[in-house]
Amino acid sequence: MKVISFNGSPRVGGNTEILLNEAEKAVQAAGHDVKRFNLNKLQIKPCQDCGGCEKTGVCVIKDDMTGIYQAIRDADRIILASPVFFFGLSAQTKMVIDRSQAFWCEKYLLKQPLAEGPNGRKGLLLLVGGMKKDIGIQCSEATAKAFFRSVSVPEHETLGFLEVDQKGAIVQHETAMGDAYHAGERLVAI
Ligand SMILES: Cc1cc2nc3c(=O)[nH]c(=O)nc-3n(C[C@H](O)[C@H](O)[C@H](O)COP(=O)(O)O)c2cc1C
């Protein structure tokens, strides 16, 4: 299975990355490689709403999204991992989602949804926030759901952890590490 992941946190060794490592470990243990995109390291311009993709489904901007477009197109499984920033996804994550407007156009305007492989397309959303309020999880979930459906991922699981703020604090969480590992297992189970 082709499995790709997006790490939307800028904090190296932070909570998002630790959770993502756990989920990926399970995917790898099941015999699948994971191609990870560390979004903070990539050059990705925000969507310009130029309408360029409306008639073609192809974005006119040429940057590091070019490789991501192809990876999303080919993927059987997509893991999206982000910290909660100001009640939503990180800017690094949102940039990829907005640029996926090209897939939205391809699916909804051109009526050409991405093709499913024999194992279907599934997603996993991993979220970490420092606050008690779960509105950040709810808002992030709504945006991520719109992304997943636009790239023809009809079902995804969401794991959201709150009150995890200090770098690396997620490892002290009672269930998070095991939860992420098991979600990785379920993601690639047939
Ligand atoms: C710019 C910024 C905005 C944040 N906004 C929120 C927020 O709205 N809600 C929340 O629960 N946590 C918020 N946090 C806390 C982070 O989500 C939390 O520290 C998280 O563990 C960071 O994950 P990381 O270690 O993977 O970067 C914010 C942190 C930063 C730096």
Side-chain angles (χ1 to χ4, degrees), residues 15-93:
N15 300 314
T16 306
E17 190 182 327
I18 291 170
L19 270 183
L20 184 55
N21 288 344
E22 259 345 88
E24 288 183 356
K25 251 189 240 169
V27 169
Q28 285 155 353
H32 310 281
D33 289 335
V34 183
K35 184 171 174 53
R36 182 190 292 188
F37 294 92
N38 287 304
L39 300 179
N40 197 49
K41 297 226 167 81
L42 301 182
Q43 298 299 319
I44 299 173
K45 202 173 170 181
C47 174
Q48 301 296 298
D49 193 9
C50 66
C53 58
E54 286 173 10
K55 292 201 171 65
T56 61
V58 177
C59 183
V60 300
I61 305 169
K62 301 301 167 214
D63 58 11
D64 286 336
M65 266 308 285
T66 304
I68 291 178
Y69 284 131
Q70 193 58 48
I72 289 175
R73 201 171 276 288
D74 295 342
D76 300 301
R77 301 288 183 267
I78 300 176
I79 308 175
L80 196 59
S82 175
V84 175
F85 281 179
F86 281 90
F87 294 173
L89 296 165
S90 70
Q92 290 85 343
T93 310

Coordinates of all heavy atoms in Angstrom, one line a residue, residues 15-93:
N15 N 5.1 17.2 19.9 CA 4.1 16.2 20.2 C 3.5 15.6 18.9 O 3.2 14.4 18.9 CB 3.0 16.9 21.1 CG 3.6 17.4 22.4 OD1 4.4 16.6 23.0 ND2 3.3 18.6 22.8
T16 N 3.3 16.5 17.9 CA 2.7 16.0 16.7 C 3.6 14.9 16.1 O 3.2 13.9 15.6 CB 2.5 17.1 15.7 OG1 1.8 18.2 16.3 CG2 1.8 16.7 14.4
E17 N 4.9 15.3 16.0 CA 5.9 14.4 15.4 C 6.0 13.0 16.2 O 6.0 12.0 15.6 CB 7.3 15.0 15.4 CG 8.3 14.3 14.5 CD 9.7 14.9 14.5 OE1 9.8 16.1 14.6 OE2 10.6 14.2 14.5
I18 N 5.9 13.1 17.5 CA 6.0 11.9 18.3 C 4.8 11.0 18.0 O 4.9 9.8 17.8 CB 6.1 12.3 19.8 CG1 7.4 12.9 20.1 CG2 5.9 11.0 20.7 CD1 7.5 13.5 21.5
L19 N 3.6 11.6 18.0 CA 2.4 10.8 17.7 C 2.5 10.2 16.3 O 2.1 9.1 16.1 CB 1.2 11.8 17.7 CG 0.4 12.0 18.9 CD1 -0.8 12.9 18.6 CD2 -0.1 10.7 19.5
L20 N 2.9 11.0 15.3 CA 3.0 10.5 14.0 C 4.0 9.4 13.9 O 3.8 8.4 13.2 CB 3.5 11.7 13.0 CG 3.5 11.4 11.6 CD1 2.2 10.9 11.0 CD2 3.9 12.7 10.8
N21 N 5.1 9.5 14.6 CA 6.1 8.4 14.6 C 5.4 7.1 15.1 O 5.7 6.0 14.5 CB 7.3 8.7 15.6 CG 8.2 9.8 15.1 OD1 8.2 10.1 13.9 ND2 9.0 10.3 16.0
E22 N 4.6 7.2 16.1 CA 3.9 6.0 16.6 C 3.0 5.4 15.6 O 3.0 4.2 15.4 CB 3.1 6.4 17.9 CG 3.6 6.1 19.2 CD 4.8 5.2 19.4 OE1 5.9 5.6 19.3 OE2 4.5 4.0 19.7
A23 N 2.2 6.2 15.0 CA 1.3 5.7 13.9 C 2.1 5.1 12.8 O 1.7 4.0 12.3 CB 0.4 6.8 13.4
E24 N 3.1 5.7 12.4 CA 3.9 5.2 11.3 C 4.6 3.9 11.6 O 4.8 3.0 10.8 CB 5.0 6.2 10.8 CG 4.4 7.4 10.1 CD 5.4 8.4 9.6 OE1 6.6 8.2 9.9 OE2 5.0 9.4 9.0
K25 N 5.0 3.8 12.9 CA 5.6 2.5 13.3 C 4.7 1.3 13.1 O 5.2 0.3 12.6 CB 5.9 2.6 14.9 CG 7.4 2.7 15.2 CD 7.5 2.6 16.7 CE 8.2 3.8 17.3 NZ 8.1 3.8 18.8
A26 N 3.4 1.5 13.4 CA 2.5 0.4 13.2 C 2.3 0.1 11.7 O 2.2 -1.0 11.3 CB 1.1 0.8 13.8
V27 N 2.3 1.2 10.9 CA 2.1 1.0 9.4 C 3.3 0.2 8.9 O 3.2 -0.7 8.1 CB 2.0 2.4 8.7 CG1 2.1 2.3 7.2 CG2 0.7 3.1 9.1
Q28 N 4.5 0.6 9.4 CA 5.8 -0.1 8.9 C 5.8 -1.5 9.4 O 6.2 -2.4 8.7 CB 7.0 0.7 9.3 CG 7.2 2.0 8.5 CD 7.9 3.1 9.2 OE1 8.3 3.0 10.4 NE2 8.2 4.1 8.5
A29 N 5.3 -1.7 10.6 CA 5.3 -3.1 11.2 C 4.4 -4.0 10.3 O 4.6 -5.2 10.3 CB 4.8 -3.1 12.6
A30 N 3.4 -3.4 9.7 CA 2.5 -4.2 8.9 C 3.0 -4.3 7.4 O 2.4 -4.9 6.6 CB 1.1 -3.5 8.8
G31 N 4.3 -3.8 7.2 CA 5.0 -4.1 6.0 C 4.8 -3.0 4.9 O 5.1 -3.2 3.7
H32 N 4.4 -1.8 5.3 CA 4.3 -0.7 4.4 C 5.3 0.4 4.6 O 5.4 0.8 5.8 CB 2.9 -0.2 4.4 CG 1.8 -1.2 4.3 ND1 1.4 -1.8 3.2 CD2 1.1 -1.8 5.3 CE1 0.5 -2.7 3.4 NE2 0.3 -2.7 4.7
D33 N 5.8 1.0 3.6 CA 6.7 2.2 3.8 C 5.8 3.4 3.9 O 4.7 3.4 3.4 CB 7.6 2.4 2.5 CG 8.7 1.3 2.5 OD1 9.0 0.8 3.6 OD2 9.1 1.0 1.4
V34 N 6.3 4.4 4.5 CA 5.6 5.7 4.6 C 6.5 6.8 4.0 O 7.6 6.9 4.4 CB 5.3 6.0 6.1 CG1 4.4 7.3 6.1 CG2 4.5 4.9 6.8
K35 N 5.9 7.5 3.1 CA 6.6 8.7 2.6 C 6.1 9.9 3.4 O 4.9 10.3 3.3 CB 6.3 8.9 1.1 CG 7.1 10.0 0.5 CD 7.0 10.0 -1.0 CE 7.6 11.2 -1.7 NZ 9.0 11.5 -1.3
R36 N 7.0 10.5 4.2 CA 6.5 11.6 5.1 C 7.0 13.0 4.5 O 8.1 13.1 4.0 CB 7.2 11.5 6.5 CG 6.7 12.7 7.4 CD 7.4 12.7 8.7 NE 7.1 11.6 9.6 CZ 7.6 11.6 10.8 NH1 8.2 12.6 11.4 NH2 7.3 10.5 11.6
F37 N 6.1 13.9 4.5 CA 6.4 15.3 4.1 C 6.4 16.1 5.4 O 5.4 16.3 6.1 CB 5.3 15.8 3.2 CG 5.3 15.1 1.9 CD1 4.5 14.0 1.6 CD2 6.1 15.5 0.8 CE1 4.4 13.3 0.4 CE2 6.1 14.9 -0.4 CZ 5.3 13.8 -0.6
N38 N 7.6 16.7 5.7 CA 7.7 17.6 6.9 C 7.4 19.0 6.3 O 8.3 19.7 5.7 CB 9.1 17.5 7.5 CG 9.3 16.2 8.2 OD1 8.5 15.9 9.2 ND2 10.2 15.4 7.9
L39 N 6.2 19.4 6.5 CA 5.8 20.6 5.7 C 6.5 21.9 6.1 O 6.7 22.8 5.2 CB 4.3 20.8 6.0 CG 3.4 19.6 5.6 CD1 1.9 19.9 5.9 CD2 3.6 19.3 4.1
N40 N 7.0 22.0 7.3 CA 7.7 23.2 7.7 C 9.0 23.4 6.9 O 9.6 24.5 6.8 CB 8.0 23.2 9.2 CG 8.4 24.6 9.7 OD1 7.6 25.6 9.4 ND2 9.4 24.7 10.4
K41 N 9.5 22.3 6.3 CA 10.8 22.4 5.6 C 10.6 22.7 4.1 O 11.6 22.8 3.4 CB 11.5 21.0 5.7 CG 11.9 20.7 7.2 CD 13.4 20.2 7.2 CE 13.9 20.2 8.6 NZ 13.5 19.0 9.4
L42 N 9.3 22.7 3.7 CA 9.1 22.8 2.2 C 8.7 24.2 1.8 O 8.3 25.0 2.7 CB 7.9 21.8 1.8 CG 8.2 20.3 2.1 CD1 7.0 19.5 1.7 CD2 9.5 19.8 1.5
Q43 N 8.9 24.5 0.6 CA 8.5 25.8 0.0 C 7.2 25.6 -0.6 O 7.0 25.0 -1.7 CB 9.6 26.2 -1.0 CG 11.0 26.4 -0.5 CD 11.0 27.5 0.6 OE1 10.4 28.5 0.5 NE2 11.8 27.2 1.6
I44 N 6.1 26.1 0.0 CA 4.8 26.0 -0.5 C 4.1 27.4 -0.4 O 4.0 27.9 0.7 CB 4.0 24.9 0.3 CG1 4.6 23.6 0.1 CG2 2.5 24.9 -0.2 CD1 4.0 22.5 1.0
K45 N 3.7 27.9 -1.5 CA 3.0 29.2 -1.6 C 1.5 29.0 -1.3 O 1.0 28.0 -1.7 CB 3.2 29.7 -3.0 CG 3.1 31.2 -3.1 CD 3.5 31.7 -4.5 CE 3.0 33.1 -4.6 NZ 3.3 33.8 -5.8
P46 N 0.9 29.9 -0.6 CA -0.5 29.8 -0.4 C -1.3 29.9 -1.7 O -0.8 30.5 -2.6 CB -0.9 31.0 0.5 CG 0.4 31.6 1.0 CD 1.5 31.2 0.0
C47 N -2.5 29.3 -1.7 CA -3.4 29.4 -2.8 C -3.6 30.9 -3.2 O -3.9 31.7 -2.3 CB -4.7 28.7 -2.5 SG -5.9 28.9 -3.8
Q48 N -3.6 31.2 -4.4 CA -3.8 32.6 -4.9 C -5.2 32.8 -5.4 O -5.5 33.9 -5.9 CB -2.8 32.9 -6.0 CG -1.3 32.8 -5.6 CD -0.9 33.7 -4.4 OE1 -1.0 34.9 -4.6 NE2 -0.6 33.2 -3.3
D49 N -6.1 31.8 -5.4 CA -7.4 31.9 -5.9 C -7.4 32.6 -7.3 O -8.2 33.5 -7.6 CB -8.3 32.8 -4.9 CG -9.8 32.7 -5.2 OD1 -10.2 31.8 -6.1 OD2 -10.6 33.4 -4.6
C50 N -6.5 32.1 -8.1 CA -6.4 32.6 -9.5 C -7.4 32.0 -10.4 O -7.6 32.5 -11.6 CB -5.0 32.5 -10.0 SG -4.5 30.7 -10.2
G51 N -8.0 30.9 -10.0 CA -8.9 30.2 -10.9 C -8.2 29.3 -11.9 O -8.9 28.7 -12.7
G52 N -6.9 29.2 -11.8 CA -6.2 28.5 -12.8 C -6.5 27.0 -12.9 O -6.4 26.4 -13.9
C53 N -6.9 26.4 -11.7 CA -7.2 25.0 -11.7 C -8.6 24.7 -12.1 O -9.0 23.5 -12.2 CB -6.9 24.4 -10.3 SG -7.8 25.2 -8.9
E54 N -9.5 25.7 -12.3 CA -10.9 25.4 -12.4 C -11.2 24.6 -13.7 O -12.1 23.8 -13.7 CB -11.7 26.7 -12.4 CG -11.8 27.3 -11.0 CD -12.4 28.7 -11.0 OE1 -13.0 29.1 -12.0 OE2 -12.4 29.3 -9.9
K55 N -10.5 24.9 -14.8 CA -10.8 24.2 -16.0 C -9.9 23.0 -16.3 O -10.2 22.2 -17.1 CB -10.6 25.2 -17.2 CG -11.6 26.3 -17.2 CD -11.8 26.9 -18.6 CE -13.0 27.8 -18.7 NZ -12.9 29.0 -17.8
T56 N -8.8 22.8 -15.4 CA -7.9 21.8 -15.7 C -7.7 20.8 -14.5 O -7.2 19.7 -14.7 CB -6.5 22.4 -16.0 OG1 -6.1 23.1 -14.8 CG2 -6.5 23.3 -17.2
G57 N -8.0 21.3 -13.3 CA -7.7 20.5 -12.1 C -6.2 20.5 -11.8 O -5.7 19.8 -10.9
V58 N -5.4 21.4 -12.4 CA -4.0 21.5 -12.2 C -3.6 22.9 -11.7 O -4.0 23.9 -12.3 CB -3.2 21.2 -13.5 CG1 -1.7 21.3 -13.3 CG2 -3.5 19.8 -14.0
C59 N -2.9 22.9 -10.6 CA -2.4 24.2 -10.1 C -1.3 24.8 -11.0 O -0.4 24.1 -11.5 CB -1.9 24.0 -8.7 SG -1.4 25.5 -7.9
V60 N -1.4 26.1 -11.2 CA -0.4 26.8 -12.0 C 0.9 27.1 -11.3 O 1.9 27.4 -11.9 CB -1.0 28.1 -12.6 CG1 -2.2 27.9 -13.5 CG2 -1.3 29.1 -11.5
I61 N 0.9 27.0 -9.9 CA 2.1 27.4 -9.2 C 3.0 26.1 -9.2 O 2.5 25.0 -8.9 CB 1.7 27.7 -7.7 CG1 0.7 28.9 -7.7 CG2 3.0 28.1 -6.9 CD1 0.1 29.1 -6.3
K62 N 4.2 26.4 -9.4 CA 5.2 25.3 -9.4 C 6.1 25.5 -8.2 O 7.0 26.4 -8.2 CB 6.0 25.3 -10.7 CG 5.2 25.1 -12.0 CD 4.4 23.8 -12.0 CE 3.3 23.8 -13.1 NZ 2.1 23.1 -12.7
D63 N 5.9 24.6 -7.2 CA 6.8 24.7 -6.0 C 6.7 23.3 -5.4 O 6.5 22.3 -6.1 CB 6.3 25.7 -5.0 CG 4.9 25.6 -4.6 OD1 4.3 24.5 -4.9 OD2 4.3 26.5 -3.9
D64 N 7.0 23.1 -4.1 CA 7.1 21.8 -3.5 C 5.7 21.1 -3.5 O 5.7 19.9 -3.2 CB 7.7 21.8 -2.1 CG 9.2 22.1 -2.2 OD1 9.8 21.7 -3.2 OD2 9.7 22.6 -1.2
M65 N 4.6 21.8 -3.8 CA 3.3 21.1 -3.9 C 3.3 20.1 -5.1 O 2.5 19.2 -5.1 CB 2.2 22.1 -4.0 CG 1.5 22.5 -2.8 SD 0.9 21.2 -1.7 CE -0.5 20.6 -2.5
T66 N 4.1 20.4 -6.1 CA 4.1 19.5 -7.3 C 4.3 18.0 -6.9 O 3.5 17.2 -7.3 CB 5.2 20.0 -8.3 OG1 5.0 21.4 -8.5 CG2 5.2 19.2 -9.6
G67 N 5.3 17.8 -6.0 CA 5.5 16.4 -5.6 C 4.4 15.9 -4.7 O 4.0 14.7 -4.7
I68 N 3.8 16.8 -3.9 CA 2.7 16.4 -3.0 C 1.5 16.1 -3.8 O 0.8 15.1 -3.5 CB 2.5 17.5 -1.9 CG1 3.6 17.6 -1.0 CG2 1.1 17.3 -1.2 CD1 3.5 18.7 0.1
Y69 N 1.2 16.8 -4.9 CA 0.0 16.5 -5.7 C 0.1 15.1 -6.2 O -0.8 14.3 -6.2 CB 0.0 17.5 -6.9 CG -0.5 18.9 -6.6 CD1 0.1 20.0 -7.0 CD2 -1.7 19.1 -5.9 CE1 -0.3 21.3 -6.8 CE2 -2.2 20.3 -5.6 CZ -1.5 21.4 -6.1 OH -1.9 22.7 -5.8
Q70 N 1.3 14.7 -6.7 CA 1.5 13.4 -7.2 C 1.3 12.3 -6.1 O 0.7 11.3 -6.3 CB 2.8 13.2 -7.9 CG 3.0 12.0 -8.8 CD 1.9 11.9 -9.9 OE1 1.7 12.8 -10.6 NE2 1.3 10.7 -10.0
A71 N 1.9 12.6 -5.0 CA 1.9 11.7 -3.9 C 0.4 11.5 -3.4 O 0.0 10.3 -3.1 CB 2.7 12.2 -2.7
I72 N -0.4 12.5 -3.3 CA -1.8 12.4 -2.9 C -2.5 11.6 -4.0 O -3.4 10.7 -3.6 CB -2.4 13.8 -2.7 CG1 -1.9 14.5 -1.5 CG2 -3.9 13.7 -2.7 CD1 -2.3 15.9 -1.3
R73 N -2.3 11.9 -5.2 CA -2.9 11.2 -6.3 C -2.7 9.6 -6.2 O -3.6 8.8 -6.4 CB -2.3 11.7 -7.6 CG -3.1 11.5 -8.9 CD -2.5 12.3 -10.0 NE -2.8 13.7 -10.0 CZ -4.1 14.2 -10.4 NH1 -5.0 13.3 -10.7 NH2 -4.4 15.5 -10.3
D74 N -1.4 9.3 -5.9 CA -1.1 7.8 -5.9 C -1.4 7.1 -4.5 O -1.3 5.9 -4.5 CB 0.5 7.7 -6.1 CG 0.9 8.2 -7.5 OD1 0.0 8.3 -8.3 OD2 2.1 8.5 -7.7
A75 N -1.7 7.9 -3.5 CA -1.8 7.3 -2.1 C -3.0 6.4 -1.9 O -4.1 6.7 -2.4 CB -1.8 8.4 -1.1
D76 N -2.8 5.3 -1.2 CA -3.9 4.5 -0.7 C -4.3 5.0 0.7 O -5.5 4.8 1.1 CB -3.5 3.0 -0.6 CG -3.0 2.5 -1.9 OD1 -3.9 2.5 -2.9 OD2 -1.9 2.0 -2.0
R77 N -3.4 5.5 1.5 CA -3.6 5.9 2.8 C -2.9 7.3 3.1 O -1.8 7.5 2.7 CB -3.0 4.9 3.9 CG -3.6 3.5 3.7 CD -5.1 3.5 4.2 NE -5.6 2.1 4.2 CZ -6.3 1.6 3.2 NH1 -6.5 2.3 2.1 NH2 -6.9 0.4 3.2
I78 N -3.6 8.2 3.8 CA -3.0 9.5 4.0 C -3.2 9.8 5.5 O -4.3 9.8 6.1 CB -3.8 10.6 3.2 CG1 -3.7 10.3 1.7 CG2 -3.2 12.0 3.6 CD1 -4.4 11.3 0.8
I79 N -2.0 10.2 6.1 CA -2.0 10.6 7.5 C -1.8 12.1 7.6 O -0.8 12.6 7.0 CB -1.0 9.8 8.4 CG1 -1.1 8.3 8.2 CG2 -1.1 10.2 9.9 CD1 0.0 7.5 8.9
L80 N -2.7 12.8 8.2 CA -2.5 14.3 8.4 C -2.3 14.5 9.9 O -3.2 14.1 10.7 CB -3.8 14.9 7.9 CG -3.8 16.4 7.6 CD1 -2.8 16.8 6.5 CD2 -5.2 16.8 7.1
A81 N -1.2 15.1 10.3 CA -0.9 15.3 11.7 C -0.6 16.8 11.9 O 0.3 17.4 11.2 CB 0.3 14.5 12.1
S82 N -1.3 17.4 12.8 CA -1.1 18.9 13.0 C -1.3 19.2 14.5 O -2.1 18.7 15.2 CB -2.1 19.6 12.2 OG -2.0 21.0 12.4
P83 N -0.5 20.2 15.0 CA -0.9 20.8 16.3 C -2.1 21.8 16.0 O -2.4 22.2 14.9 CB 0.4 21.7 16.6 CG 1.0 22.0 15.3 CD 0.6 20.9 14.4
V84 N -2.8 22.0 17.1 CA -3.9 23.0 17.0 C -3.3 24.4 17.3 O -2.6 24.6 18.3 CB -5.0 22.7 18.1 CG1 -6.0 23.8 18.1 CG2 -5.6 21.4 17.9
F85 N -3.4 25.3 16.3 CA -3.0 26.7 16.5 C -4.2 27.6 16.3 O -4.8 27.5 15.3 CB -1.9 27.0 15.4 CG -0.5 26.5 15.6 CD1 0.5 26.7 14.7 CD2 -0.2 25.8 16.8 CE1 1.8 26.2 14.9 CE2 1.1 25.3 17.0 CZ 2.1 25.5 16.0
F86 N -4.4 28.4 17.3 CA -5.6 29.4 17.2 C -6.8 28.7 16.8 O -7.5 29.1 15.8 CB -5.2 30.6 16.4 CG -4.4 31.6 17.1 CD1 -3.0 31.5 17.1 CD2 -5.0 32.6 17.9 CE1 -2.2 32.4 17.8 CE2 -4.2 33.5 18.6 CZ -2.8 33.4 18.6
F87 N -7.2 27.6 17.5 CA -8.4 26.8 17.2 C -8.5 26.1 15.9 O -9.6 25.8 15.4 CB -9.7 27.7 17.4 CG -9.9 28.2 18.8 CD1 -10.9 29.1 19.1 CD2 -9.1 27.8 19.9 CE1 -11.1 29.6 20.4 CE2 -9.3 28.2 21.2 CZ -10.3 29.2 21.4
G88 N -7.4 26.0 15.2 CA -7.5 25.4 13.9 C -6.2 24.6 13.6 O -5.3 24.4 14.5
L89 N -6.0 24.2 12.3 CA -4.8 23.5 11.9 C -3.7 24.5 11.8 O -3.9 25.7 11.6 CB -5.1 22.9 10.5 CG -6.2 21.7 10.5 CD1 -6.6 21.4 9.1 CD2 -5.6 20.5 11.2
S90 N -2.5 24.0 11.8 CA -1.3 24.9 11.7 C -1.3 25.5 10.2 O -1.9 24.9 9.3 CB 0.0 24.1 11.9 OG 0.2 23.2 10.9
A91 N -0.6 26.6 10.1 CA -0.6 27.2 8.8 C 0.1 26.3 7.7 O -0.3 26.3 6.6 CB 0.2 28.5 8.9
Q92 N 1.1 25.6 8.2 CA 1.8 24.7 7.3 C 0.8 23.6 6.7 O 0.9 23.3 5.5 CB 2.9 23.9 8.1 CG 4.1 24.8 8.5 CD 3.9 25.6 9.8 OE1 2.8 25.7 10.3 NE2 5.0 26.1 10.3
T93 N -0.1 23.1 7.6 CA -1.0 22.1 7.2 C -2.1 22.8 6.3 O -2.5 22.2 5.2 CB -1.7 21.5 8.4 OG1 -0.7 21.1 9.3 CG2 -2.6 20.3 8.0

